[in-house]
Amino acid sequence: MTAQERAHAVAHWLLCAAEDVEAAQRHWREGGAALLACGRLFAAIRLPGHLLRAAAGTRNPGELDAYVWGALEGGPVIADPHADHYYALTPAATAWSLGDKGPGGVAVLGRGCYLGVPSPFPEVPQLRAYWAVPMESAGELCDPRLVRRLVQRGVSCLAAVNATAR
């Protein structure tokens, strides 16, 4: 399967979460993010940028993306640098198992929430949000246990920095 065929399969799968497929496709073509419903195909765990930078020990966006890729074993993650958030896409049931709020400003977006998802096609410019870790296959999601471990590492690193600063 070619990269283009994979992107088409991922797009088709993601569009199942769109309330307006044509509008979502239009937003992707224009380089924007399509608003997709969470809690159907996937949940999204919102991870504050400061938490991930603490876990990774870097402020460099490329290094941070590479760290997140490794920590989540290639599970798909969307970055929104303007809001300073990352969104790890996990199974829809994750919203029930992790609860609504977590440590360090972490939140689970499930039913009733929407997420701006950038185009899965690498040739389309991604303006506000981008794939920090692209979805490699339709339906391939992050393991919530790995996301939890990443959050715990970030919280621990922030606590260590705060303790040192005192």
Side-chain angles (χ1 to χ4, degrees), residues 72-84:
L72 299 181
E73 298 179 358
V77 179
I78 296 167
D80 182 348
H82 300 284
D84 195 26

Side-chain angles (χ1 to χ4, degrees), residues 4-95:
Q4 191 68 11
E5 290 169 333
R6 274 196 299 276
H8 277 284
V10 168
H12 181 74
W13 185 82
L14 287 169
L15 287 171
C16 292
E19 292 191 2
D20 184 340
V21 172
E22 289 180 18
Q25 290 173 322
R26 185 177 63 255
H27 288 293
W28 280 347
R29 278 192 308 274
E30 295 168 358
L35 203 56
L36 303 182
C38 297
R40 294 178 188 169
L41 299 176
F42 60 84
I45 301 178
R46 185 179 66 213
L47 305 165
H50 74 276
L51 190 70
L52 295 184
R53 287 188 294 277
T58 185
R59 299 187 67 76
N60 179 289
E63 291 174 6
L64 180 56
D65 291 351
Y67 176 83
V68 170
W69 182 90
L72 299 181
E73 298 179 358
V77 179
I78 296 167
D80 182 348
H82 300 284
D84 195 26
H85 290 117
Y86 283 70
Y87 298 88
L89 302 186
T90 61
T94 304

Side-chain angles (χ1 to χ4, degrees), residues 57-147:
T58 185
R59 299 187 67 76
N60 179 289
E63 291 174 6
L64 180 56
D65 291 351
Y67 176 83
V68 170
W69 182 90
L72 299 181
E73 298 179 358
V77 179
I78 296 167
D80 182 348
H82 300 284
D84 195 26
H85 290 117
Y86 283 70
Y87 298 88
L89 302 186
T90 61
T94 304
W96 304 112
S97 64
L98 287 179
D100 292 333
K101 283 225 166 234
V106 174
V108 179
L109 308 179
R111 289 193 187 276
C113 296
Y114 293 83
L115 179 64
V117 176
S119 170
F121 297 100
E123 69 275 6
V124 175
Q126 298 178 4
L127 303 176
R128 179 180 169 107
Y130 70 93
W131 287 99
V133 182
M135 181 178 274
E136 290 297 323
S137 298
E140 181 181 327
L141 299 169
C142 293
D143 181 335
R145 295 170 296 188
L146 296 176
V147 178

